[in-house]
């Protein structure tokens, strides 16, 4: 099993291509739109919900040149031969590619995510087990801080860093303990 590089990428305004018009392509396009990318969808048939999305569409078969200039490419058709071709073309063009049918053929995997109060957590199982990543993100969502908690902790940290060294260390230790308790780490060793 290969180790993936866990990263958060700022790609707002970049371009993405989704090849495929079904439910998987629809989910991937929504994820890309949520991240602020400009999305083009190419497929002979498109899920009707694409009409309500801010995507460009081309209702036709994939063409090799479609990947040109794309930062991210998603191969999400129901045809493995087409997905393989899209992935190969995208890699050759230097784009990050997600192969929805065979993750190992791509360079990008979409993690299960959960967000509250600006805290975003992404989970990957390291294998093709989306039921596990979905369950883990649901559990993690239960312990994410509220906006009020996060605002309070942030204010306390900002105040603490202005204190003299001994007072600063004590205030940060107390904050660390409160944060750990706030996320359910009662009685566990603080690092």
């Amino acid at each position: 099993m290969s180790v993936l590089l866990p990263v958060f990428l700022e790609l707002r305004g970049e371009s993405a291509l989704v090849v495929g018009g079904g439910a998987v392509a629809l989910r991937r396009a929504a994820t890309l739109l949520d991240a602020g990318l400009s999305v083009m969808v190419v497929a002979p048939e498109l899920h009707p919900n694409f009409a309500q999305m801010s995507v460009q569409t081309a209702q036709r078969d994939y063409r090799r040149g479609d990947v040109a200039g794309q930062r991210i490419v998603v191969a999400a058709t129901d045809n493995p031969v087409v997905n393989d071709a899209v992935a190969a073309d995208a890699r050759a063009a230097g784009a990050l590619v997600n192969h929805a049918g065979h993750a190992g053929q791509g360079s990008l995997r979409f993690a299960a995510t959960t967000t509250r109060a600006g805290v975003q957590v992404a989970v990957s199982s390291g294998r093709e087990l989306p039921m596990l990543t979905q369950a883990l993100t649901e559990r993690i969502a239960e312990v994410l801080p509220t906006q009020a908690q996060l605002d309070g902790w942030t204010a306390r940290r900002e105040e603490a860093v202005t204190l003299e060294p001994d007072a600063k260390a004590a205030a940060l230790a107390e904050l660390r303990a409160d944060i750990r308790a706030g996320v359910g780490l009662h009685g566990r060793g603080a690092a």
Side-chain angles (χ1 to χ4, degrees):
M1 180 173 60
S2 66
V3 176
L4 302 176
L5 175 66
V7 298
F8 286 90
L9 301 172
E10 172 55 68
L11 296 173
R12 184 169 308 283
E14 297 285 343
S15 60
L17 171 70
V18 176
V19 180
V24 173
L26 188 69
R27 286 194 309 272
R28 297 292 191 254
T31 299
L32 294 166
L33 286 172
D34 287 347
L37 281 88
S38 173
V39 179
M40 166 65 99
V41 179
V42 174
E45 299 203 19
L46 297 168
H47 191 288
N49 289 357
F50 278 114
Q52 288 105 32
M53 297 174 77
S54 296
V55 297
Q56 296 177 15
T57 59
Q59 200 161 350
R60 60 170 170 74
D61 288 334
Y62 165 75
R63 298 178 192 148
R64 176 176 244 169
D66 290 337
V67 300
Q70 301 296 330
R71 194 64 173 279
I72 293 179
V73 175
V74 176
T77 74
D78 58 3
N79 184 330
V81 173
V82 172
N83 287 343
D84 290 349
V86 170
D89 293 345
R91 280 183 176 275
L96 295 172
V97 61
N98 173 257
H99 191 303
H102 189 273
Q105 297 292 323
S107 58
L108 171 71
R109 296 185 188 175
F110 287 88
T113 62
T114 187
T115 305
R116 186 191 312 166
V119 176
Q120 183 178 25
V121 179
V123 178
S124 172
S125 67
R127 44 184 57 97
E128 297 308 305
L129 202 51
M131 296 74 70
L132 173 61
T133 58
Q134 290 164 357
L136 288 170
T137 55
E138 288 174 27
R139 178 66 180 109
I140 290 166
E142 294 174 0
V143 300
L144 288 180
T146 64
Q147 188 66 53
Q149 285 175 308
L150 195 60
D151 290 345
W153 293 335
T154 302
R156 286 174 58 194
R157 184 199 173 278
E158 288 172 0
E159 182 181 332
V161 298
T162 66
L163 301 173
E164 294 299 320
D166 289 344
K168 175 181 173 180
L172 290 175
E174 184 179 329
L175 175 59
R176 182 178 296 110
D178 288 351
I179 289 172
R180 292 177 62 79
V183 298
L185 293 175
H186 301 285
R188 298 183 187 176

